C-alpha cells in the first residue's frame, strides 16, 4: 500500500505536467499523508497480530510440552506404583509360602511325635503283655516244679 500511496503522490503532486493549485496540492498531500498514516497503522496492527499469533503459538507449544511432561510423569508414576505393588505382592507370596512351610513342618512334627507316642504306648503294651506272659509262664513253671516235686 505504501507503494500505491507514493505512486499517487508522485503522479499527482510531483508530476511536471500537473500544476495543481495550492489548495488542491494541500488536499492531495493531506490525503496522501492520511493514506500513509493509515498504512503505517495497518502495518503496526499486522505486526501486533503476528506478535500475538507467535505468542499464542509459543503458549500452545509450551502447554503441549507441559502436557507431554505430565503424561510422561503420570506414566512413570503408574509404572513405579505397579512395580511397588508387584514387589509387595511377591514379598507377601514368599511370606505366605514360608508360613505354609513352617505350618507343614509343625504339623509333621506333631504327627511324628504322636506316632512316637503311639509306638511307645504299643511298645509298653507289648512289653507289659510279654511281661505278663513271662510271669504266667514262670508261675506255671514254678507250679509245675512244685507239682512235680510232690509227685515224685
Amino acid at each position: 500500500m505504501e507503494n500505491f500511496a507514493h505512486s499517487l503522490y508522485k503522479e499527482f503532486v510531483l508530476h511536471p505536467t500537473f500544476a495543481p493549485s495550492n489548495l488542491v496540492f494541500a488536499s492531495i498531500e493531506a490525503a496522501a499523508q492520511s493514506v500513509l498514516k493509515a498504512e503505517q497503522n495497518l502495518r503496526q496492527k499486522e505486526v501486533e497480530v503476528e506478535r500475538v499469533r507467535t505468542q499464542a503459538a509459543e503458549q500452545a507449544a509450551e502447554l503441549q510440552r507441559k502436557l507431554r511432561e505430565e503424561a510422561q510423569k503420570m506414566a512413570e508414576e503408574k509404572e513405579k506404583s505397579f512395580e511397588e505393588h508387584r514387589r509387595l505382592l511377591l514379598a507377601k507370596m514368599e511370606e505366605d509360602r514360608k508360613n505354609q512351610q513352617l505350618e507343614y513342618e509343625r504339623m509333621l512334627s506333631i504327627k511324628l511325635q504322636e506316632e512316637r507316642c503311639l509306638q511307645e504306648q504299643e511298645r509298653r503294651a507289648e512289653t507289659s503283655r510279654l511281661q505278663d506272659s513271662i510271669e504266667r509262664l514262670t508261675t506255671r513253671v514254678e507250679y509245675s516244679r512244685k507239682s512235680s516235686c510232690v509227685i515224685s
Side-chain angles (χ1 to χ4, degrees):
M1 282 200 152
E2 187 173 353
N3 291 339
F4 176 71
H6 278 296
S7 66
L8 280 176
Y9 181 74
K10 287 178 186 175
E11 189 173 328
F12 291 106
V13 176
L14 300 177
H15 197 276
T17 59
F18 186 69
S21 68
N22 283 339
L23 186 58
V24 171
F25 179 73
S27 174
I28 290 174
E29 190 168 327
Q33 290 298 322
S34 179
V35 168
L36 284 174
K37 186 73 168 169
E39 189 175 89
Q40 286 175 347
N41 287 340
L42 184 59
R43 282 189 186 262
Q44 286 176 346
K45 293 208 186 286
E46 286 174 350
V47 167
E48 179 64 19
V49 165
E50 189 58 34
R51 185 188 66 74
V52 168
R53 280 185 186 152
T54 302
Q55 187 178 17
E58 288 171 355
Q59 288 175 345
E62 179 66 17
L63 180 61
Q64 285 285 63
R65 183 189 64 77
K66 285 181 180 179
L67 289 173
R68 276 192 309 271
E69 284 177 0
E70 190 170 320
Q72 179 67 27
K73 184 179 178 183
M74 286 177 64
E76 289 170 0
E77 287 175 359
K78 187 175 182 180
E79 180 68 23
K80 184 179 176 183
S81 175
F82 172 78
E83 286 300 322
E84 179 65 13
H85 181 69
R86 182 177 174 270
R87 185 187 66 75
L88 291 173
L89 186 59
L90 288 173
K92 176 74 170 121
M93 287 171 60
E94 180 62 19
E95 181 183 346
D96 289 348
R97 186 193 64 77
K98 285 179 180 179
N99 287 340
Q100 194 173 29
Q101 181 68 28
L102 289 172
E103 181 65 18
Y104 171 77
E105 290 172 2
R106 188 181 70 76
M107 292 298 291
L108 184 60
S109 176
I110 290 171
K111 290 290 183 186
L112 287 173
Q113 190 173 356
E114 287 174 355
E115 184 66 28
R116 278 190 231 114
C117 282
L118 186 59
Q119 287 175 354
E120 180 63 25
Q121 287 174 354
E122 288 174 355
R123 187 188 61 77
R124 285 182 185 164
E126 181 66 18
T127 301
S128 179
R129 189 182 60 78
L130 288 173
Q131 190 67 35
D132 287 348
S133 194
I134 290 171
E135 285 179 14
R136 277 194 316 269
L137 286 174
T138 304
T139 304
R140 273 190 190 169
V141 167
E142 284 181 11
Y143 182 75
S144 284
R145 279 190 198 158
K146 288 182 184 178
S147 297
S148 326
C149 286
V150 173
I151 297 179
S152 343

